[in-house]
Amino acid sequence: MGERRRDNVFVVGCQRSGTSVVWAGLTAHPDLAPLRGFDRESGYDPKELYYFRNLFGARAAFSSPMYGWDVDRAYLARVIDATIDHCIEHHGSRAGRFVNANPPDGLYLAELLEAMPEARVVYVLRHPEEVVWSSIHAPWSDPVTGREPKQVRKASEHWLRHAAVARRVVDGEFGDAVLLVRHEDLLASPAAIASRLAAHVGVEEVPEMAEMLGGMTFNSSFQNSAPPGRVIRETRRAIARAHDFREVVYRTVSEEMEGLGYVDFGNPPLVARPG
């Protein structure tokens, strides 16, 4: 094997935020496109590489006083190197890099960058009401119980865990290793986002990146032929009419929602109630 590439790309953020379309935009570049594509028969997926989430998630679940010791750092470095080699061999591009869009990796962003400081990360952020609405209307969600207040709250709490990391990104904790991409900007200006992505990961911009960002459905689990802009507008109108839904989301995530610059889609917007 040649020189191991350390500047691999991680696309993270809460599920239903647009990580799939960002991955598609990045891998439209010939130096980032995986040599092997999706294979439904074998279950091969070049996009959501679960290896890093499993590694950092397991370490978080089973803490040890030895974490951070020299011998542990040496062990972790060797495991990371072996995992990178595996990903390049099985999921890599012609340039020897891979692009991983496994959203839960974002929950371990600090650990990931400590172990792989040369990695380039794209954090995709989306309005919580849109994320939760998408989650409860996903094909795997029960059409009845999946939309009950308990499930809306559960999906909201999931966004909240990721939003805590997003606040750290916005505050600049991770420096230029992480590029924040907001879903609304992705929808409004795919060409501008393509330029930012190319510069961030260190490749020359190609037209295919902007075409992919602007032309595909913005939610990989919902297949439709409508333009993305129309889909989003219709979704926001539906959310605005769903007062009970918005109230549960707002009660759960209002502080982080407002801290990240989002307001309720209702008109007038919901306001926090005393107590």
Side-chain angles (χ1 to χ4, degrees):
M1 178 177 295
E3 182 181 358
R4 179 186 296 117
R5 293 292 296 260
R6 306 292 303 202
D7 55 346
N8 297 293
V9 184
F10 292 80
V11 182
V12 301
C14 187
Q15 290 90 331
R16 328 309 299 162
S17 293
T19 53
S20 292
V21 72
V22 170
W23 181 87
L26 285 165
T27 55
H29 193 288
D31 285 345
L32 297 174
L35 295 176
R36 182 181 174 192
F38 285 98
D39 184 350
R40 294 187 181 278
E41 186 173 341
S42 67
Y44 175 80
D45 181 357
K47 176 170 73 75
E48 297 192 29
L49 312 183
Y50 59 88
Y51 315 109
F52 299 95
R53 178 201 64 190
N54 283 7
L55 172 62
F56 295 120
R59 286 173 67 85
F62 300 97
S63 185
S64 168
M66 294 185 69
Y67 288 173
W69 289 17
D70 288 347
V71 67
D72 180 68
R73 290 181 182 277
Y75 162 77
L76 184 58
R78 183 166 296 188
V79 172
I80 289 291
D81 284 347
T83 306
I84 289 175
D85 286 346
H86 176 85
C87 289
I88 290 173
E89 178 182 356
H90 294 280
H91 309 285
S93 68
R94 70 182 188 183
R97 300 174 78 182
F98 61 83
V99 182
N100 178 16
N102 193 276
D105 283 342
L107 297 174
Y108 308 102
L109 187 53
E111 294 87 344
L112 187 152
L113 286 172
E114 182 178 2
M116 294 173 282
E118 298 89 352
R120 309 305 291 168
V121 179
V122 180
Y123 197 104
V124 188
L125 181 64
R126 188 180 185 186
H127 194 299
E129 290 176 351
E130 290 182 319
V131 170
V132 176
W133 186 267
S134 178
S135 297
I136 66 172
H137 289 84
W140 55 81
S141 177
D142 187 286
V144 178
T145 62
R147 301 172 194 182
E148 293 178 348
K150 180 174 70 173
Q151 297 303 320
V152 173
R153 188 176 302 108
K154 182 178 178 181
S156 300
E157 291 170 348
H158 184 73
W159 181 89
L160 192 62
R161 289 193 292 273
H162 285 269
V165 181
R167 288 288 293 269
R168 296 164 69 186
V169 173
V170 170
D171 290 343
E173 179 177 333
F174 305 107
D176 61 4
V178 182
L179 173 68
L180 181 74
V181 172
R182 290 181 178 266
H183 185 273
E184 61 268 26
D185 296 335
L186 183 62
L187 179 65
S189 306
I193 296 299
S195 295
R196 292 174 60 198
L197 289 172
H200 181 64
V201 304
V203 296
E204 184 178 350
E205 184 181 356
V206 295
E208 290 81 2
M209 296 177 71
E211 291 171 8
M212 185 62 73
L213 292 176
M216 71 178 292
T217 301
F218 269 60
N219 196 318
S220 59
S221 297
F222 299 96
Q223 301 302 320
N224 60 71
S225 57
R230 194 176 88 190
V231 173
I232 297 299
R233 288 192 297 272
E234 291 175 354
T235 298
R236 290 176 180 173
R237 283 196 291 268
I239 292 172
R241 293 192 296 267
H243 182 277
D244 291 344
F245 163 83
R246 291 185 291 105
E247 186 172 48
V248 173
V249 175
Y250 191 80
R251 282 179 175 272
T252 308
V253 307
S254 58
E255 182 177 348
E256 295 293 344
M257 173 176 167
E258 293 172 353
L260 289 167
Y262 292 116
V263 297
D264 171 49
F265 280 130
N267 187 18
L270 290 170
V271 294
R273 294 180 178 179

